[in-house]
Amino acid sequence: MSRANADRDDVDVIGRGADMLLLPALSSISTRREMRPLAEHLTDQWRCVVPDWPAFGARPRARAALSPDTMRRFLDSLLDTLRSPLVGVAAGHGAVYLVEAARRRPGRFERLVLIAPTWRGPLPTMFGDGHATLCRRVRDAFENPLTGPLLYRLSVSRTMVSRMMRAHVLADASRLTPDLLEAKLAVTRQTDARFATGAFITGALDPVGSRAAFLGLFEGALPPTLLLMPASAPPRSGAEMAALAATGRVTTVTLPGALAMHEENAAAVSAAIRTFLTD
C-alpha cells in the first residue's frame, strides 16, 4: 500500500513506525487539531495519520453533499493509502464510522480504540425518537441562504460555544482558556462551515439510527476493541457508552474527562492505548 500523502491539506502525518489512524469527532468545532495532543504522545512508536472529515476542520472548506456515505467513502479512500494491519483510534461519531470500516474491511485493523463514541447528533439526542421531520426542517433552515447564516451565527456564538465546551466537551472548565476558546471559534468561522454544522446537529451524519443498530456493529468478528469512557460524559451519551460496555464485547476503561478527553487528558488516554496495544 502507498503511504498517506503528507502534502494533503486535510491530513497530518507525524511520527514513525506502524501506521495509526486517528479520527477526530464531528462537531461545530471539530478539527484534526483536537487529536494533535494525543498523537504527540504516540509518535515515538507509531506513524500517526490524522485527517479532517469532509467539510469539517480549521481550513477553507468546499461545500459537499454531506451524508453518512460521504464519510464512509472518504474513510475508505484514506484507508487505501495506509499499511495493514493498522491501529484505528477515533472519537465521537468517528468511532462508529471506524467500527463500520473494520467490518467492511476485515484484516485492515489489528486493534480499535473508541474514545467517547457517539452515534446520535445533538438534536436527535435532545428530542428523542419521532422528531425526524423537525430535524429535517432545522437542517433546511441552516442551508437556506436567508435564514442559514443567522441561525448558524447564533448557534456558534462565543456564548454558545463557551457553554457547550463547559457543559460536555471539557470536564475541567478552567481548561477553557481565552486562547483555546479563540481557536475553537476560528473553526466555526470557516467559509460554508454552517452546512457541516447543520448536518451534524440535526442527525444527518448519524452513522446508525438506533441503539440496537449501534450495538449490533459489535456482534461477530471485530478486532480487539478498547472503549475509553469519560468519567464526566453527558448523561445521554454516557448511557449509550455504558450500554456498549455492558455487552462485554469491548474492553472498557474509564478515565477523567468529558467528550474531548483525548484533547483534555491526552497523557492518560495515550497511556491507556499503550497498555491495550501491548496486552
Side-chain angles (χ1 to χ4, degrees):
M1 289 287 180
S2 62
R3 296 271 189 117
N5 185 350
D7 295 328
R8 286 177 53 166
D9 68 358
D10 61 346
V11 179
D12 288 339
V13 181
I14 57 175
R16 295 184 178 181
D19 280 353
M20 176 181 285
L21 176 63
L22 291 90
L23 297 172
L26 301 182
S27 79
S28 300
I29 55 175
S30 174
T31 165
R32 65 183 185 267
R33 292 178 184 173
E34 74 187 45
M35 304 302 288
R36 188 81 184 203
L38 177 59
E40 288 176 348
H41 281 279
L42 298 166
T43 53
D44 61 321
Q45 286 186 257
W46 290 279
R47 177 177 176 267
C48 296
V49 179
V50 192
D52 277 324
W53 289 102
F56 290 83
R59 70 189 198 288
R61 311 178 190 181
R63 184 176 178 184
L66 290 171
S67 71
D69 281 343
T70 305
M71 303 306 181
R72 293 173 184 129
R73 287 192 295 269
F74 168 80
L75 185 50
D76 282 339
S77 176
L78 182 59
L79 287 173
D80 286 340
T81 71
L82 303 180
R83 299 168 296 184
S84 295
L86 68 151
V87 175
V89 180
H93 272 42
V96 182
Y97 283 116
L98 177 67
V99 174
E100 286 185 334
R103 294 188 67 88
R104 285 195 306 273
R105 307 180 71 148
R108 288 294 277 124
F109 295 93
E110 61 175 321
R111 298 216 172 185
L112 304 177
V113 178
L114 314 181
I115 303 171
T118 57
W119 61 265
R120 189 166 53 187
L123 289 185
T125 298
M126 184 185 306
F127 295 142
D129 296 334
H131 289 82
T133 299
L134 174 60
C135 288
R136 177 67 250 181
R137 288 175 178 169
V138 173
R139 185 181 182 188
D140 288 345
F142 266 89
E143 296 185 348
N144 184 288
L146 296 178
T147 60
L150 175 59
L151 182 60
Y152 177 65
R153 296 292 0 136
L154 291 173
S155 70
V156 294
S157 68
R158 180 178 298 272
T159 298
M160 290 298 291
V161 171
S162 177
R163 183 180 300 166
M164 172 178 65
M165 293 194 69
R166 294 174 188 275
H168 56 257
V169 176
L170 300 174
D172 180 359
S174 70
R175 291 179 179 266
L176 185 58
T177 63
D179 286 347
L180 179 57
L181 180 57
E182 285 302 322
K184 298 301 183 182
L185 289 170
V187 177
T188 71
R189 297 178 186 133
Q190 298 303 316
T191 302
D192 288 339
R194 79 175 195 270
F195 299 109
T197 290
F200 170 68
I201 69 172
T202 59
L205 294 178
D206 292 353
V208 295
S210 67
R211 178 185 288 185
F214 170 58
L215 298 181
L217 291 174
F218 297 86
E219 296 177 353
L222 265 186
T225 300
L226 173 64
L227 165 62
L228 292 178
M229 286 186 59
S232 301
R236 292 177 183 175
S237 297
E240 303 304 318
M241 299 176 214
L244 174 58
T247 66
R249 299 170 191 152
V250 297
T251 299
T252 302
V253 174
T254 300
L255 295 174
L259 293 183
M261 61 192 298
H262 50 289
E263 188 173 16
E264 181 179 12
N265 200 8
V269 170
S270 64
I273 291 173
R274 286 181 186 274
T275 299
F276 175 66
L277 296 181
T278 56
D279 281 349

